[in-house]
Amino acid sequence: QLQLVESGGGLVQPGGSLRLSCTASGFTLDYYAIGWFRQAPGKGREGVSCISSSGGSTNYADSVKGRFTVSRDNAKNTVYLQLNSLKPEDTAVYFCASDGVSPICDYYERFGAWGQGTQVTVSS
């Protein structure tokens, strides 16, 4: 089930930026919507963002709207999540996921094909 690989996390100060990448192995992302999720210690997963297969439609949680930007480069088989103006409350493991079927973001919080996750820590 580990066909999506997240990378780009790290330790940053409040106000800093990171770019997370979600890369597919063994299949092509072109046809699928990709959701981004995060899970803080002791908490359940939170839907963060989603991008449709074409990149023409995006969704953002209210908590990240205006600070995070999701994009994709299908030629590189990669979806990105740009994290700007990071806050300590953004600290979590970030995952990308697909359902392996849908090209759109309807019900994206139900996507279950997870990557390994990448740790984002925001601390002063």
Side-chain angles (χ1 to χ4, degrees):
Q1 297 179 18
L2 299 178
Q3 297 196 79
L4 297 173
V5 179
E6 301 92 343
S7 62
L11 173 64
V12 297
Q13 294 184 332
S17 298
L18 289 169
R19 188 179 73 166
L20 309 184
S21 297
C22 173
T23 301
S25 61
F27 70 100
T28 300
L29 288 180
D30 300 39
Y31 311 108
Y32 308 113
I34 299 295
W36 282 98
F37 307 83
R38 64 188 182 185
Q39 186 169 13
K43 301 180 70 176
R45 76 170 188 171
E46 175 189 10
V48 174
S49 185
C50 183
I51 186 166
S52 64
S53 62
S54 68
S57 181
T58 57
N59 296 91
Y60 298 96
D62 288 343
S63 60
V64 307
K65 195 170 298 181
R67 299 188 298 119
F68 293 5
T69 303
V70 65
S71 62
R72 65 193 303 154
D73 185 344
N74 286 340
K76 296 182 178 179
N77 213 27
T78 300
V79 173
Y80 303 98
L81 186 66
Q82 179 69 41
L83 316 179
N84 294 329
S85 302
L86 283 163
K87 305 174 180 179
E89 64 202 58
D90 296 317
T91 296
V93 178
Y94 284 70
F95 302 89
C96 58
S98 169
D99 68 356
V101 175
S102 181
I104 60 176
C105 288
D106 292 8
Y107 306 108
Y108 84 92
E109 294 194 35
R110 300 177 68 178
F111 289 180
W114 298 93
Q116 295 270 242
T118 186
Q119 177 72 49
V120 172
T121 302
V122 185
S123 177
S124 59

